[in-house]
Amino acid sequence: MTEHAQTNQDSGAVKRPALYLAEYETPNALAHAAEKVRDAGYKVWDCHTPYPLHGLDEAMGLPPTKLGFISFICGMTGLSLGFLMMYWMNGVDYPIVIGGKEPYSFPSMVPILFECSILLTGFGTLFGMLGLNKLPRHHHPVFESDRFDAATDDKFFISIEAGDEKFDLEKTRSLLESTHPSHLELVEEEVA
C-alpha cells in the first residue's frame, strides 16, 4: 500500500491513485498539452482521441513503429521456410519428375512461396501489433472515469499513469493545470 492509498469507508476497499486524466476541447489544445508533457520527461502516458490526429505522434515524441520490421522478418521467414519445405519434399524426400522438369523447379514453387510469405506476414503483423500495444489488457484504470466515455465522441484526453517514475500528485497536477484542460481528474483504482 502506498502513502497515498486510502480506504473507502462504505465498501472497505483500499484505493490508490492510478492516473491523472486531463480533458481538452480541441485537437490543437491536446497537441500543445502533449508537447508539454513530453518535454517534462514523462514516459508512461497516452493521448486518447475520437479519431486519428495527424502530428500527434511527433507531439508525443513517439519513435517510428517497429511493426514494419517485424512483418518483414516474418515474411522472409515464411518465404525461406516455404522454399526449404518445397525443396525437401519435391527434391530430396520424394522426387517425382513431371513433364521432364527438375523435381525442385522454381516456377512450380512460386504459389506456395507466396502463400507461406503472406501467412507468416499476417501472423507476425497481428501478434507483433498485440505485443507492441501490450494487448490484451482487459481493464485499464482510465475506464473508472465517467467522463472518459466522451473520448469516443468529441473530447480529447491525456492520461499520465502513476507508474511513471516522474509521477507526483502535486507536480503532475500543476503540469496538467498549466496546459489549461477543461477538466482534470485524479482516477483511483482498488488495490486487490
Side-chain angles (χ1 to χ4, degrees):
M1 188 160 74
T2 67
E3 61 183 319
H4 299 292
Q6 60 185 2
T7 304
N8 188 338
Q9 301 292 335
D10 300 331
S11 64
V14 177
K15 292 191 171 197
R16 69 172 173 216
L19 55 93
Y20 267 115
L21 186 65
E23 179 181 332
Y24 301 91
E25 298 294 324
T26 66
N28 288 336
L30 176 75
H32 293 303
E35 290 171 351
K36 281 190 170 185
V37 173
R38 175 200 65 202
D39 293 342
Y42 287 91
K43 301 288 184 218
V44 186
W45 64 285
D46 204 355
C47 292
H48 311 276
T49 63
Y51 49 84
L53 295 178
H54 296 289
L56 191 58
D57 290 349
E58 291 84 17
M60 293 178 67
L62 296 177
T65 181
K66 298 173 186 153
L67 192 57
F69 178 73
I70 293 170
S71 298
F72 177 76
I73 294 299
C74 289
M76 291 299 105
T77 302
L79 183 73
S80 301
L81 290 176
F83 180 79
L84 290 173
M85 177 185 71
M86 296 292 292
Y87 177 80
W88 172 257
M89 290 177 178
N90 295 338
V92 177
D93 186 41
Y94 195 68
I96 298 177
V97 176
I98 299 174
K101 296 179 185 170
E102 296 179 21
Y104 46 86
S105 65
F106 184 73
S108 66
M109 293 182 179
V110 170
I112 303 300
L113 295 178
F114 176 77
E115 293 297 332
C116 289
S117 300
I118 295 300
L119 178 68
L120 263 69
T121 300
F123 281 135
T125 302
L126 173 67
F127 293 117
M129 183 269 309
L130 291 174
L132 291 173
N133 291 330
K134 298 175 186 143
L135 295 174
R137 184 171 181 180
H138 301 294
H139 179 72
H140 192 278
V142 76
F143 296 117
E144 296 294 328
S145 172
D146 293 333
R147 297 184 71 93
F148 189 70
D149 291 343
T152 58
D153 292 333
D154 59 353
K155 301 294 182 202
F156 305 89
F157 293 89
I158 287 181
S159 61
I160 302 178
E161 297 188 26
D164 193 298
E165 61 186 33
K166 290 190 63 103
F167 186 87
D168 178 73
L169 285 175
E170 290 78 26
K171 290 179 183 176
T172 305
R173 181 176 188 86
S174 65
L175 171 70
L176 289 173
E177 285 175 345
S178 72
T179 64
H180 309 293
S182 60
H183 185 265
L184 181 61
E185 174 182 4
L186 176 63
V187 178
E188 296 179 328
E189 65 181 343
E190 289 187 17
V191 179

